Short mmCIF file of all heavy atoms in Angstrom, two decimals:
data_model
loop_
_atom_site.label_atom_id
_atom_site.label_comp_id
_atom_site.label_asym_id
_atom_site.label_seq_id
_atom_site.Cartn_x
_atom_site.Cartn_y
_atom_site.Cartn_z
N LYS A 1 -1.68 -5.07 4.88
CA LYS A 1 -2.47 -3.97 5.43
C LYS A 1 -2.50 -4.04 6.95
O LYS A 1 -2.31 -3.03 7.63
CB LYS A 1 -3.89 -4.02 4.86
CG LYS A 1 -4.78 -2.91 5.39
CD LYS A 1 -6.23 -3.12 5.04
CE LYS A 1 -7.10 -2.05 5.68
NZ LYS A 1 -8.54 -2.29 5.47
N LYS A 2 -2.75 -5.24 7.48
CA LYS A 2 -2.81 -5.39 8.93
C LYS A 2 -1.48 -5.03 9.59
O LYS A 2 -1.44 -4.39 10.64
CB LYS A 2 -3.19 -6.84 9.26
CG LYS A 2 -3.35 -7.10 10.75
CD LYS A 2 -3.77 -8.55 11.00
CE LYS A 2 -3.93 -8.83 12.50
NZ LYS A 2 -4.33 -10.24 12.74
N HIS A 3 -0.39 -5.42 8.94
CA HIS A 3 0.95 -5.16 9.49
C HIS A 3 1.28 -3.67 9.49
O HIS A 3 1.88 -3.15 10.44
CB HIS A 3 1.98 -5.93 8.67
CG HIS A 3 3.40 -5.64 9.04
ND1 HIS A 3 3.96 -6.03 10.24
CD2 HIS A 3 4.38 -4.97 8.37
CE1 HIS A 3 5.22 -5.63 10.30
NE2 HIS A 3 5.50 -4.99 9.18
N LEU A 4 0.88 -2.96 8.43
CA LEU A 4 1.30 -1.56 8.25
C LEU A 4 0.35 -0.55 8.87
O LEU A 4 0.75 0.58 9.18
CB LEU A 4 1.45 -1.26 6.76
CG LEU A 4 2.60 -1.97 6.04
CD1 LEU A 4 2.46 -1.81 4.53
CD2 LEU A 4 3.94 -1.44 6.51
N ALA A 5 -0.92 -0.92 9.04
CA ALA A 5 -1.92 0.06 9.48
C ALA A 5 -1.58 0.64 10.85
O ALA A 5 -1.72 1.85 11.08
CB ALA A 5 -3.30 -0.59 9.49
N LYS A 6 -1.14 -0.20 11.79
CA LYS A 6 -0.82 0.28 13.14
C LYS A 6 0.35 1.26 13.10
O LYS A 6 0.32 2.31 13.75
CB LYS A 6 -0.49 -0.92 14.04
CG LYS A 6 -0.26 -0.54 15.49
CD LYS A 6 -0.02 -1.78 16.35
CE LYS A 6 0.20 -1.40 17.80
NZ LYS A 6 0.44 -2.61 18.65
N TRP A 7 1.39 0.92 12.32
CA TRP A 7 2.53 1.83 12.17
C TRP A 7 2.10 3.17 11.58
O TRP A 7 2.53 4.23 12.02
CB TRP A 7 3.58 1.17 11.27
CG TRP A 7 4.52 2.15 10.64
CD1 TRP A 7 5.62 2.73 11.19
CD2 TRP A 7 4.43 2.69 9.31
NE1 TRP A 7 6.22 3.59 10.31
CE2 TRP A 7 5.50 3.59 9.14
CE3 TRP A 7 3.54 2.50 8.26
CZ2 TRP A 7 5.71 4.29 7.96
CZ3 TRP A 7 3.74 3.20 7.08
CH2 TRP A 7 4.81 4.08 6.94
N ALA A 8 1.23 3.12 10.57
CA ALA A 8 0.80 4.35 9.90
C ALA A 8 0.03 5.25 10.86
O ALA A 8 0.24 6.47 10.89
CB ALA A 8 -0.06 3.99 8.68
N ARG A 9 -0.89 4.67 11.63
CA ARG A 9 -1.64 5.48 12.60
C ARG A 9 -0.72 6.11 13.63
O ARG A 9 -0.87 7.29 13.96
CB ARG A 9 -2.70 4.61 13.30
CG ARG A 9 -3.89 4.25 12.42
CD ARG A 9 -5.03 3.67 13.27
NE ARG A 9 -4.63 2.45 13.96
CZ ARG A 9 -4.75 1.23 13.43
NH1 ARG A 9 -5.26 1.08 12.22
NH2 ARG A 9 -4.38 0.17 14.13
N LYS A 10 0.22 5.35 14.12
CA LYS A 10 1.15 5.86 15.13
C LYS A 10 2.01 6.98 14.57
O LYS A 10 2.36 7.93 15.30
CB LYS A 10 2.03 4.70 15.64
CG LYS A 10 2.97 5.08 16.76
CD LYS A 10 3.76 3.87 17.24
CE LYS A 10 4.72 4.24 18.36
NZ LYS A 10 5.52 3.07 18.82
N SER A 11 2.36 6.90 13.29
CA SER A 11 3.24 7.90 12.66
C SER A 11 2.46 9.05 12.04
O SER A 11 3.07 9.93 11.43
CB SER A 11 4.08 7.21 11.58
OG SER A 11 4.81 6.12 12.10
N ASP A 12 1.13 9.04 12.19
CA ASP A 12 0.28 10.06 11.57
C ASP A 12 0.52 10.13 10.06
O ASP A 12 0.75 11.18 9.48
CB ASP A 12 0.51 11.44 12.20
CG ASP A 12 -0.59 12.43 11.81
OD1 ASP A 12 -1.67 11.98 11.41
OD2 ASP A 12 -0.33 13.65 11.87
N ILE A 13 0.50 8.95 9.44
CA ILE A 13 0.71 8.83 7.99
C ILE A 13 -0.54 8.20 7.38
O ILE A 13 -0.96 7.12 7.80
CB ILE A 13 1.95 7.96 7.69
CG1 ILE A 13 3.22 8.70 8.10
CG2 ILE A 13 2.01 7.57 6.21
CD1 ILE A 13 4.47 7.85 8.04
N SER A 14 -1.14 8.88 6.41
CA SER A 14 -2.33 8.33 5.76
C SER A 14 -2.06 7.92 4.32
O SER A 14 -2.99 7.57 3.59
CB SER A 14 -3.47 9.37 5.78
OG SER A 14 -3.18 10.47 4.94
N CYS A 15 -0.79 7.95 3.89
CA CYS A 15 -0.45 7.57 2.52
C CYS A 15 0.82 6.71 2.57
O CYS A 15 1.86 7.16 3.02
CB CYS A 15 -0.25 8.80 1.65
SG CYS A 15 0.79 10.08 2.39
N TYR A 16 0.69 5.47 2.10
CA TYR A 16 1.85 4.57 2.14
C TYR A 16 1.60 3.40 1.20
O TYR A 16 0.45 3.11 0.82
CB TYR A 16 2.12 4.07 3.56
CG TYR A 16 0.97 3.36 4.21
CD1 TYR A 16 0.83 1.97 4.16
CD2 TYR A 16 0.00 4.08 4.91
CE1 TYR A 16 -0.23 1.33 4.76
CE2 TYR A 16 -1.07 3.45 5.52
CZ TYR A 16 -1.18 2.07 5.44
OH TYR A 16 -2.24 1.42 6.04
N ARG A 17 2.67 2.73 0.80
CA ARG A 17 2.59 1.58 -0.10
C ARG A 17 2.27 0.33 0.70
O ARG A 17 2.95 0.00 1.66
CB ARG A 17 3.89 1.42 -0.87
CG ARG A 17 3.87 0.22 -1.84
CD ARG A 17 4.84 0.44 -2.98
NE ARG A 17 4.42 1.58 -3.79
CZ ARG A 17 5.08 2.01 -4.87
NH1 ARG A 17 6.19 1.40 -5.26
NH2 ARG A 17 4.66 3.06 -5.54
N VAL A 18 1.23 -0.37 0.27
CA VAL A 18 0.80 -1.56 0.98
C VAL A 18 1.18 -2.85 0.24
O VAL A 18 1.12 -3.93 0.81
CB VAL A 18 -0.73 -1.49 1.23
CG1 VAL A 18 -1.50 -1.69 -0.05
CG2 VAL A 18 -1.16 -2.49 2.29
N TYR A 19 1.59 -2.71 -1.03
CA TYR A 19 1.98 -3.89 -1.81
C TYR A 19 2.88 -3.42 -2.94
O TYR A 19 2.57 -2.42 -3.61
CB TYR A 19 0.72 -4.57 -2.38
CG TYR A 19 0.98 -5.77 -3.27
CD1 TYR A 19 1.04 -7.06 -2.76
CD2 TYR A 19 1.16 -5.59 -4.64
CE1 TYR A 19 1.27 -8.15 -3.59
CE2 TYR A 19 1.40 -6.68 -5.48
CZ TYR A 19 1.45 -7.95 -4.95
OH TYR A 19 1.68 -9.02 -5.78
N ASP A 20 3.99 -4.12 -3.16
CA ASP A 20 4.92 -3.72 -4.22
C ASP A 20 5.43 -4.96 -4.96
O ASP A 20 6.53 -5.43 -4.73
CB ASP A 20 6.09 -2.94 -3.63
CG ASP A 20 6.88 -2.19 -4.71
OD1 ASP A 20 6.45 -2.20 -5.88
OD2 ASP A 20 7.91 -1.59 -4.37
N ALA A 21 4.57 -5.47 -5.87
CA ALA A 21 4.93 -6.64 -6.69
C ALA A 21 5.46 -7.79 -5.83
O ALA A 21 6.40 -8.47 -6.21
CB ALA A 21 5.93 -6.24 -7.77
N ASP A 22 4.82 -8.01 -4.66
CA ASP A 22 5.27 -9.07 -3.76
C ASP A 22 5.20 -10.43 -4.43
O ASP A 22 6.07 -11.29 -4.20
CB ASP A 22 4.38 -9.10 -2.51
CG ASP A 22 4.43 -7.81 -1.70
OD1 ASP A 22 4.73 -6.77 -2.29
OD2 ASP A 22 4.15 -7.85 -0.49
N LEU A 23 4.17 -10.65 -5.24
CA LEU A 23 3.99 -11.92 -5.94
C LEU A 23 4.20 -11.70 -7.43
O LEU A 23 3.65 -10.77 -8.01
CB LEU A 23 2.58 -12.48 -5.69
CG LEU A 23 2.17 -12.66 -4.22
CD1 LEU A 23 0.72 -13.11 -4.13
CD2 LEU A 23 3.09 -13.65 -3.52
N PRO A 24 5.00 -12.56 -8.09
CA PRO A 24 5.35 -12.32 -9.49
C PRO A 24 4.15 -12.29 -10.44
O PRO A 24 4.18 -11.61 -11.46
CB PRO A 24 6.30 -13.48 -9.83
CG PRO A 24 6.09 -14.50 -8.76
CD PRO A 24 5.67 -13.75 -7.55
N ASP A 25 3.06 -13.00 -10.10
CA ASP A 25 1.89 -13.01 -10.97
C ASP A 25 1.10 -11.71 -10.92
O ASP A 25 0.28 -11.44 -11.79
CB ASP A 25 0.95 -14.16 -10.58
CG ASP A 25 1.48 -15.51 -11.06
OD1 ASP A 25 2.24 -15.53 -12.04
OD2 ASP A 25 1.14 -16.54 -10.44
N TYR A 26 1.35 -10.90 -9.90
CA TYR A 26 0.62 -9.64 -9.74
C TYR A 26 1.64 -8.52 -9.60
O TYR A 26 1.99 -8.10 -8.49
CB TYR A 26 -0.31 -9.71 -8.53
CG TYR A 26 -1.35 -10.81 -8.67
CD1 TYR A 26 -1.08 -12.11 -8.22
CD2 TYR A 26 -2.58 -10.57 -9.27
CE1 TYR A 26 -2.01 -13.12 -8.38
CE2 TYR A 26 -3.51 -11.57 -9.42
CZ TYR A 26 -3.22 -12.85 -8.98
OH TYR A 26 -4.15 -13.84 -9.13
N ALA A 27 2.12 -8.03 -10.76
CA ALA A 27 3.18 -7.02 -10.79
C ALA A 27 2.58 -5.64 -10.63
O ALA A 27 2.50 -4.84 -11.56
CB ALA A 27 3.97 -7.11 -12.09
N LEU A 28 2.13 -5.35 -9.41
CA LEU A 28 1.43 -4.11 -9.11
C LEU A 28 2.11 -3.38 -7.96
O LEU A 28 2.70 -4.00 -7.08
CB LEU A 28 -0.03 -4.38 -8.70
CG LEU A 28 -0.89 -5.19 -9.67
CD1 LEU A 28 -2.20 -5.57 -8.99
CD2 LEU A 28 -1.15 -4.41 -10.94
N ALA A 29 2.03 -2.07 -7.99
CA ALA A 29 2.34 -1.25 -6.82
C ALA A 29 1.01 -0.67 -6.34
O ALA A 29 0.30 -0.02 -7.11
CB ALA A 29 3.31 -0.14 -7.18
N ILE A 30 0.68 -0.92 -5.07
CA ILE A 30 -0.61 -0.48 -4.53
C ILE A 30 -0.34 0.46 -3.37
O ILE A 30 0.29 0.08 -2.38
CB ILE A 30 -1.44 -1.69 -4.06
CG1 ILE A 30 -1.62 -2.68 -5.20
CG2 ILE A 30 -2.79 -1.22 -3.53
CD1 ILE A 30 -2.31 -3.98 -4.78
N ASP A 31 -0.79 1.70 -3.52
CA ASP A 31 -0.58 2.72 -2.51
C ASP A 31 -1.92 3.18 -1.94
O ASP A 31 -2.88 3.39 -2.68
CB ASP A 31 0.14 3.94 -3.11
CG ASP A 31 1.51 3.59 -3.67
OD1 ASP A 31 2.20 2.78 -3.04
OD2 ASP A 31 1.87 4.13 -4.73
N LEU A 32 -1.96 3.33 -0.63
CA LEU A 32 -3.12 3.91 0.04
C LEU A 32 -2.92 5.42 0.18
O LEU A 32 -1.85 5.86 0.60
CB LEU A 32 -3.30 3.31 1.44
CG LEU A 32 -3.66 1.82 1.52
CD1 LEU A 32 -3.81 1.41 2.97
CD2 LEU A 32 -4.94 1.54 0.76
N TYR A 33 -3.90 6.18 -0.19
CA TYR A 33 -3.92 7.62 0.02
C TYR A 33 -5.20 7.93 0.78
O TYR A 33 -6.25 8.18 0.19
CB TYR A 33 -3.89 8.38 -1.30
CG TYR A 33 -2.54 8.40 -1.98
CD1 TYR A 33 -2.16 7.38 -2.84
CD2 TYR A 33 -1.63 9.44 -1.77
CE1 TYR A 33 -0.93 7.39 -3.47
CE2 TYR A 33 -0.40 9.46 -2.40
CZ TYR A 33 -0.05 8.44 -3.25
OH TYR A 33 1.18 8.45 -3.88
N ASP A 34 -5.11 7.86 2.11
CA ASP A 34 -6.26 8.06 2.97
C ASP A 34 -7.35 7.03 2.61
O ASP A 34 -7.11 5.84 2.72
CB ASP A 34 -6.77 9.50 2.87
CG ASP A 34 -7.58 9.90 4.09
OD1 ASP A 34 -7.22 9.48 5.20
OD2 ASP A 34 -8.58 10.61 3.93
N GLU A 35 -8.51 7.48 2.13
CA GLU A 35 -9.59 6.55 1.78
C GLU A 35 -9.58 6.19 0.30
O GLU A 35 -10.60 5.69 -0.22
CB GLU A 35 -10.94 7.14 2.16
CG GLU A 35 -11.10 7.41 3.65
CD GLU A 35 -10.99 6.14 4.49
OE1 GLU A 35 -11.53 5.11 4.05
OE2 GLU A 35 -10.36 6.19 5.57
N HIS A 36 -8.49 6.44 -0.40
CA HIS A 36 -8.39 6.14 -1.82
C HIS A 36 -7.22 5.19 -2.07
O HIS A 36 -6.31 5.07 -1.25
CB HIS A 36 -8.19 7.43 -2.63
CG HIS A 36 -9.36 8.35 -2.59
ND1 HIS A 36 -9.70 9.07 -1.47
CD2 HIS A 36 -10.28 8.68 -3.54
CE1 HIS A 36 -10.78 9.81 -1.73
NE2 HIS A 36 -11.15 9.58 -2.96
N ILE A 37 -7.27 4.53 -3.23
CA ILE A 37 -6.21 3.58 -3.59
C ILE A 37 -5.66 3.95 -4.96
O ILE A 37 -6.41 4.24 -5.89
CB ILE A 37 -6.75 2.13 -3.66
CG1 ILE A 37 -7.36 1.72 -2.32
CG2 ILE A 37 -5.65 1.16 -4.04
CD1 ILE A 37 -8.05 0.39 -2.35
N HIS A 38 -4.35 3.94 -5.08
CA HIS A 38 -3.65 4.21 -6.33
C HIS A 38 -2.91 2.94 -6.74
O HIS A 38 -2.03 2.47 -6.03
CB HIS A 38 -2.66 5.36 -6.11
CG HIS A 38 -1.97 5.84 -7.34
ND1 HIS A 38 -0.65 5.60 -7.61
CD2 HIS A 38 -2.43 6.56 -8.40
CE1 HIS A 38 -0.32 6.15 -8.76
NE2 HIS A 38 -1.38 6.74 -9.26
N VAL A 39 -3.32 2.36 -7.86
CA VAL A 39 -2.73 1.10 -8.34
C VAL A 39 -1.92 1.38 -9.60
O VAL A 39 -2.41 2.02 -10.53
CB VAL A 39 -3.83 0.06 -8.66
CG1 VAL A 39 -3.20 -1.26 -9.13
CG2 VAL A 39 -4.73 -0.17 -7.46
N GLN A 40 -0.70 0.91 -9.62
CA GLN A 40 0.14 1.01 -10.81
C GLN A 40 0.52 -0.40 -11.26
O GLN A 40 1.06 -1.18 -10.47
CB GLN A 40 1.40 1.82 -10.53
CG GLN A 40 1.12 3.26 -10.11
CD GLN A 40 2.38 3.97 -9.69
OE1 GLN A 40 3.11 4.51 -10.51
NE2 GLN A 40 2.67 3.97 -8.40
N GLU A 41 0.22 -0.70 -12.51
CA GLU A 41 0.62 -1.99 -13.07
C GLU A 41 1.94 -1.80 -13.80
O GLU A 41 2.04 -1.00 -14.73
CB GLU A 41 -0.43 -2.52 -14.05
CG GLU A 41 -0.05 -3.89 -14.61
CD GLU A 41 -0.82 -4.27 -15.86
OE1 GLU A 41 -1.29 -3.37 -16.58
OE2 GLU A 41 -0.93 -5.47 -16.13
N TYR A 42 2.96 -2.52 -13.38
CA TYR A 42 4.21 -2.50 -14.11
C TYR A 42 4.00 -3.23 -15.43
O TYR A 42 3.42 -4.32 -15.47
CB TYR A 42 5.33 -3.16 -13.31
CG TYR A 42 5.64 -2.47 -12.01
CD1 TYR A 42 5.41 -3.10 -10.78
CD2 TYR A 42 6.15 -1.18 -11.99
CE1 TYR A 42 5.70 -2.46 -9.58
CE2 TYR A 42 6.44 -0.54 -10.80
CZ TYR A 42 6.21 -1.19 -9.60
OH TYR A 42 6.49 -0.55 -8.42
N ALA A 43 4.42 -2.62 -16.53
CA ALA A 43 4.24 -3.25 -17.84
C ALA A 43 4.86 -4.64 -17.83
O ALA A 43 6.03 -4.80 -17.46
CB ALA A 43 4.88 -2.39 -18.92
#
């Protein structure tokens, strides 16, 4: 989040993926949509 937030503000982007199954124990895709979060669990 810290790494991407500055880029997003500069690009006028309020929706972006902040995590994509980075760690094998947490097979999730986590997207920010402004003040909301969309979480998808890969089966």
Side-chain angles (χ1 to χ4, degrees):
K1 180 191 175 186
K2 183 178 180 180
H3 174 69
L4 292 168
K6 185 177 180 180
W7 159 81
R9 287 193 299 271
K10 184 178 179 181
S11 304
D12 194 20
I13 290 171
S14 69
C15 47
Y16 57 94
R17 180 154 295 180
V18 71
Y19 177 91
D20 195 5
D22 299 25
L23 304 176
D25 284 334
Y26 299 89
L28 305 170
I30 304 174
D31 299 321
L32 294 181
Y33 285 87
D34 202 37
E35 298 299 320
H36 294 72
I37 302 173
H38 186 252
V39 182
Q40 298 173 85
E41 182 197 25
Y42 297 115

